[in-house]
Amino acid sequence: MRLKRESYLELIRPYYDVDLIKVITGVRRAGKSILLETIKDELVEKGVKGDHILYLNLEDMDFDFIQNAADLNREIKNRIRDKDKYYIFLDEIQHIEAFEKALSSFRATLNASIFVTGSNSTLLSGELATLLTGRTVEFEIFPFSFSEMKDYYELIGRDFSDDMIYDYIKWGGFPLRFDFYDETSVKHYVSNLYESIVKRDIIQENSKIDKFVFKDIALYILANSGKEFSAENIVAYYNRNSGKTVSIRTIYNYIDRMKKAFLLHGVSRYNLSGKSSLGNREKYYAVDTGFRIINTNTVNFDDTFFLENIICNELMLRGYSVFTGKTYKSEVDFIAIKDGRKCFIQVAYLLADQRTIDREFGAFSPISDASPKYVLSLDRINMSRAGIAHINIVDFLLHRQDIMLT
């Protein structure tokens, strides 16, 4: 059954008939194709004729004859029968050589609204992309959020409770994983999905990357998402324990490829003293926590980095620019900025003792900025104090209680 992902549709609907190419990106199997199907349904409900909606899944072997921009141009224009408006959907367009030329031609010659999807963040960053500068609007799709997990369970008639946050922490939100009922099957699916992404979007047949080295290091980076990152430490550990040799340059090359395939998001540090972004200092967060444990058998729920990862993804999904904060003597987990306003966020598993409470609330003490400050944890008792709001993570994720930028 298909979940209607309203948070994305609200963003995309205003562009249905705007003369900009709608580019929908994101990691594989996050639901881009299903989102396209939902948009098509809405267009039909608005009265658009079915034969004026053209959909090509460019990973379908039926379209193997489309190899380049000229092939794509020919196929689409052969389907145009009149001068009425057409809605063109091109799924996984990155497979078509010089596709930007075809898109530019469609905009110039057709009465059409164009939607494309892709699973690589460099979709519109090559030389040919200059043809489309200022002519596109991009939307990144994530796996299901926790609130979408709840909506999907209600849709298919499965029981849901707040305690399922622990299942979500462990296995993440890739939509198809919710069709499995036992952990063995879920882990098998998530592991195979990861292998497929690596094979199709990172290590192609002509790649010079050592696939075994890449997989070892990539899984290590994912498993340690959100932790202090040091390429030097990774190199030292790997070279000491594997019998192989990698360089710092190789580590950053791997990270770049993982980011382009949407396996990772980089979060820059924000110098709270200088009030500026330290763009060359990043932490990395996995696109989905399910990828953090595919090379292990258990998750330590006390590991706050899993929760940080979920909060980071949720903030990005809600349209915030996200940074990690650095003060002169400590760190703040996140600075969330939207519409020129910001707030500060600390994430904890449980505020189990006074020492933990003092640490989490005290992280804000060096900050003179009057912007809102929040501590998020799984505790149900409200521990707000000294103008710092305490929010239960489940309530935050299910939109029962939100951060309010003032």
Side-chain angles (χ1 to χ4, degrees):
M1 300 179 74
R2 186 193 306 166
L3 178 67
K4 194 169 186 177
R5 304 184 74 177
E6 191 61 36
S7 59
Y8 297 110
L9 293 168
E10 286 180 358
L11 296 175
I12 302 171
R13 281 191 192 107
Y15 295 91
Y16 281 6
D17 289 295
V18 173
D19 188 24
L20 290 171
I21 298 169
K22 280 65 71 176
V23 182
I24 299 171
T25 59
V27 67
R28 285 183 184 273
R29 300 298 175 259
K32 299 186 297 295
S33 299
I34 296 298
L35 187 65
L36 287 190
E37 293 288 344
T38 306
I39 294 171
K40 287 165 54 183
D41 289 347
E42 290 196 350
L43 290 172
V44 171
E45 291 172 3
K46 286 175 56 179
V48 177
K49 298 176 182 177
D51 60 359
H52 281 61
I53 298 175
L54 308 182
Y55 174 81
L56 277 66
N57 179 353
L58 296 167
E59 290 192 320
D60 189 330
M61 288 187 66
D62 287 347
F63 299 110
D64 272 358
F65 63 91
I66 302 177
Q67 297 292 318
N68 53 46
D71 296 337
L72 181 60
N73 183 68
R74 188 180 308 111
E75 176 65 17
I76 291 297
K77 291 189 174 178
N78 283 342
R79 296 178 179 225
I80 303 294
R81 305 299 182 189
D82 54 48
K83 295 187 180 296
D84 292 343
K85 189 161 194 170
Y86 280 75
Y87 295 81
I88 301 172
F89 294 83
L90 303 170
D91 205 357
E92 298 295 351
I93 198 170
Q94 74 271 5
H95 296 292
I96 306 304
E97 181 183 352
F99 66 84
E100 295 95 336
K101 288 185 177 179
L103 296 182
S104 182
S105 174
F106 298 156
R107 285 194 73 256
T109 62
L110 300 178
N111 179 16
S113 181
I114 303 168
F115 301 77
V116 303
T117 75
S119 300
N120 193 297
S121 66
T122 60
L123 196 64
L124 296 173
S125 62
E127 292 182 12
L128 286 173
T130 56
L131 292 169
L132 302 177
T133 301
R135 299 175 174 88
T136 64
V137 58
E138 187 170 356
F139 308 91
E140 183 181 349
I141 308 303
F142 286 78
F144 281 174
S145 66
F146 187 57
S147 64
E148 287 178 320
M149 174 184 176
K150 176 178 180 292
D151 292 342
Y152 185 68
Y153 271 35
E154 291 174 350
L155 179 68
I156 64 176
R158 285 178 67 177
D159 292 335
F160 180 89
S161 70
D162 287 1
D163 286 343
M164 298 198 77
I165 185 63
Y166 296 101
D167 176 78
Y168 186 79
I169 291 169
K170 188 171 185 179
W171 295 114
F174 277 103
L176 282 179
R177 80 94 167 164
F178 297 108
D179 291 346
F180 301 100
Y181 289 78
D182 63 278
E183 284 207 344
T184 300
S185 298
V186 173
K187 182 173 183 177
H188 184 68
Y189 169 74
V190 174
S191 298
N192 283 351
L193 174 57
Y194 173 76
E195 293 289 336
S196 175
I197 292 170
V198 170
K199 181 178 180 180
R200 300 173 75 175
D201 296 325
I202 297 177
I203 306 178
Q204 292 86 11
E205 290 183 4
N206 59 348
S207 175
K208 296 180 181 179
I209 294 178
D210 184 321
K211 64 181 181 180
F212 298 106
V213 175
F214 175 83
K215 288 180 180 179
D216 285 345
I217 291 177
L219 285 172
Y220 177 86
I221 292 170
L222 286 169
N224 289 279
S225 298
K227 297 181 181 179
E228 190 69 33
F229 177 79
S230 169
E232 293 83 357
N233 289 347
I234 294 175
V235 167
Y237 177 83
Y238 189 79
N239 291 351
R240 183 172 63 250
N241 292 282
S242 70
K244 298 182 179 180
T245 301
V246 296
S247 66
I248 292 174
R249 182 177 179 179
T250 296
I251 299 299
Y252 280 108
N253 177 41
Y254 289 174
I255 286 175
D256 183 59
R257 290 174 181 268
M258 293 172 74
K259 289 167 67 176
K260 287 175 179 176
F262 296 101
L263 289 174
L264 288 177
H265 288 94
V267 176
S268 297
R269 289 185 180 275
Y270 193 95
N271 184 347
L272 289 167
S273 300
K275 297 183 179 180
S276 61
S277 171
L278 302 173
N280 62 338
R281 298 286 302 279
E282 287 188 316
K283 282 189 174 182
Y284 300 99
Y285 289 91
V287 69
D288 187 84
T289 52
F291 284 162
R292 290 197 54 167
I293 64 165
I294 54 177
N295 62 336
T296 64
N297 294 316
T298 60
V299 55
N300 177 8
F301 290 108
D302 290 329
D303 182 352
T304 303
F305 293 108
F306 279 85
L307 286 170
E308 278 188 31
N309 207 138
I310 289 170
I311 297 301
C312 181
N313 290 347
E314 181 73 19
L315 290 169
M316 288 190 286
L317 188 157
R318 296 187 189 186
Y320 293 96
S321 296
V322 183
F323 302 87
T324 61
K326 178 67 176 177
T327 68
Y328 66 90
K329 68 174 184 179
S330 62
E331 292 189 353
V332 175
D333 290 333
F334 298 116
I335 301 169
I337 301 176
K338 188 175 183 180
D339 299 328
R341 297 173 294 173
K342 67 176 175 289
C343 67
F344 303 95
I345 299 170
Q346 279 291 102
V347 180
Y349 174 59
L350 291 172
L351 302 174
D353 52 47
Q354 192 60 46
R355 181 180 178 183
T356 304
I357 294 170
D358 291 343
R359 182 184 70 239
E360 300 302 335
F361 283 87
F364 302 117
S365 60
I367 302 173
S368 58
D369 191 315
S371 298
K373 301 172 181 67
Y374 301 93
V375 173
L376 276 60
S377 78
L378 290 172
D379 297 277
R380 276 296 176 191
I381 299 173
N382 189 334
M383 301 186 191
S384 300
R385 63 193 60 205
I388 301 169
H390 173 234
I391 296 178
N392 175 265
I393 286 175
V394 172
D395 288 344
F396 170 70
L397 295 174
L398 295 181
H399 300 264
R400 295 171 184 155
Q401 194 172 357
D402 205 348
I403 57 175
M404 304 295 291
L405 293 177
T406 60

